[in-house]
Amino acid sequence: VLVGQSYGGMIVSGAADAEPSPIKALVYVDAYVPASGDSVWSLTTPRFRDMFVAGAKGDGLNCAPPPNLDPRCRPHPMAAFLQ
């Protein structure tokens, strides 16, 4: 059983697509649930797209987490949102 939360829905879907035989179930917890060819960018709202772009203003490559999140949060590559 694979469980994905938020962006993790993309990860568990990709893992299940790459190696489906050992996986019995996918569980999506407040997560993106992609169909073939979907990206986070295509599935999310304009509000979140604006947040991603604003977060990438530092270097244009990585989306910094909003300042109100846990300080252990790290930047996320913008390319992962677009692919």
Side-chain angles (χ1 to χ4, degrees):
V1 175
L2 296 179
V3 179
Q5 188 268 331
S6 188
Y7 180 82
M10 304 299 285
I11 305 302
V12 298
S13 295
D17 188 51
E19 195 62 43
S21 60
I23 299 168
K24 302 296 181 209
L26 296 175
V27 178
Y28 296 90
V29 181
D30 194 20
Y32 292 103
V33 182
S36 181
D38 283 340
S39 68
V40 167
W41 195 265
S42 70
L43 294 174
T44 201
T45 64
R47 176 177 164 256
F48 276 99
R49 287 186 201 121
D50 290 346
M51 287 174 34
F52 297 157
V53 170
K57 289 198 189 282
D59 66 7
L61 300 174
N62 298 291
C63 179
N68 61 328
L69 292 182
D70 187 307
R72 295 173 290 183
C73 290
R74 308 287 12 114
H76 191 96
M78 281 293 289
F81 292 144
L82 302 172
Q83 294 177 354

